[in-house]
Amino acid sequence: MTARKPYNPDPHAHPGLAAIALLEAAKAVLAFLAAAGLEISGPAPLRTIVNTLIRRVGADPEHGSFSTLLDMITPDTVHVGAIALVAYGLLRSLEAWGLWRARAWASWLGCVSAALYLPLDVYAIVRHPGWASWLLLAVNILVVWVLARDIGRRRPLAGR
């Protein structure tokens, strides 16, 4: 049995964490851009997009729960959506910063949050099989694996 090396706290020793940090930073930027887009454009373009999606799935946007959904898209709900996107962006920014600096809490945060997406990824494959769904699942599994491995390597060595 080979002895395990002590964990190297140098962030440069963990290229996998840096790669995931860049991915999380990109998600944060996209969330901030989406929030700004919502605030700038207001509810009208969002209503048009939702209306188009409703028609694309073959439903009637004028009756039933879909009309209620369209009625719920107001300036106030757009503000709430933008606030939620900013909060998501801040969380992803914090995670990216922590992973870039090889912080243990960031590995835990990233591992848990990526693992929460796995059932949704499997559902996406069942509903819409294709290379994009499989790629998303593979990336999330890889992220969970890299972060779980990092967490495991941080455990104290036995006998110390």
Side-chain angles (χ1 to χ4, degrees):
M1 187 163 141
T2 59
R4 212 173 57 160
K5 292 187 229 175
Y7 187 81
N8 184 349
D10 180 15
H12 295 97
H14 307 283
L17 296 184
I20 296 169
L22 292 174
L23 176 68
E24 295 304 321
K27 290 183 343 188
V29 168
L30 289 175
F32 293 139
L33 289 173
L38 272 177
E39 284 298 323
I40 291 168
S41 65
L46 184 59
R47 287 179 57 85
T48 302
I49 292 168
V50 171
N51 196 349
T52 302
L53 289 173
I54 291 168
R55 289 185 191 281
R56 191 165 284 173
V57 298
D60 182 8
E62 305 298 325
H63 299 93
S65 59
F66 288 119
S67 67
T68 305
L69 174 66
L70 285 170
D71 291 341
M72 289 172 53
I73 300 173
T74 66
D76 289 338
T77 57
V78 166
H79 294 318
V80 170
I83 289 168
L85 284 166
V86 167
Y88 179 80
L90 290 172
L91 178 66
R92 294 294 154 218
S93 296
L94 180 66
E95 180 184 345
W97 180 87
L99 288 172
W100 191 260
R101 303 222 182 257
R103 301 290 197 247
W105 59 262
S107 290
W108 276 102
L109 176 62
C111 189
V112 169
S113 65
L116 289 173
Y117 287 116
L118 293 176
L120 299 173
D121 294 340
V122 171
Y123 178 76
I125 289 171
V126 170
R127 296 287 294 164
H128 306 286
W131 68 268
S133 299
W134 282 101
L135 180 62
L136 190 60
L137 176 64
V139 167
N140 277 336
I141 288 173
L142 180 62
V143 167
V144 169
W145 178 76
V146 167
L147 295 176
R149 186 184 66 177
D150 182 68
I151 292 165
R153 288 181 174 172
R154 291 174 185 271
R155 287 183 293 145
L157 298 174
R160 289 197 180 203

